Amino acid sequence: MQRMFSMFPAGFPGIGLILLRLVVSLQLLYFAYVDAADFEQWTIVISLLFVLLLCIGVLTPVVAVLWALICIFRLLAATPTQWSSLIIAIGNAVTLALLGPGAYSLDARLFGRRLVRLTGLHKDQN
């Protein structure tokens, strides 16, 4: 995960990424609620799992890409009145996948930069 992102931004950019993760999660919940009667029960469970993973920031880019792909497939079968909300959902998911989870996520805790201290290497050992 660290190879994908040069850093996990903190401060206001990190808060912005939290908000983006929450917006994508709310969109996912909305689409799961609207389509609950049309789909199997397991799709609702997967949607809730995606929401949980996005809210705590675990595997954020992977979940965001999967959500964008789901929205693209839904766009192909959607009516023109549904296009705008699906295009916005795709844009938000792709943006989140490209920007990453931010410093306030479990991804940053698990895969963030580390400081390695080497001990026992002194020049004055004669």
Side-chain angles (χ1 to χ4, degrees), residues 9 37 59 63 69 102 110 120:
L59 300 174
V63 173
L69 289 174
L110 296 174

Side-chain angles (χ1 to χ4, degrees), residues 64-111:
V65 166
L66 288 174
W67 173 235
L69 289 174
I70 290 169
C71 286
I72 288 170
F73 285 121
R74 293 174 80 182
L75 185 65
L76 297 174
T79 62
T81 58
Q82 298 170 330
W83 288 352
S84 62
S85 60
L86 284 169
I87 289 172
I88 291 171
I90 292 167
N92 286 339
V94 169
T95 302
L96 183 59
L98 292 175
L99 290 177
Y104 309 118
S105 67
L106 206 53
D107 279 343
R109 195 58 94 176
L110 296 174
F111 306 111

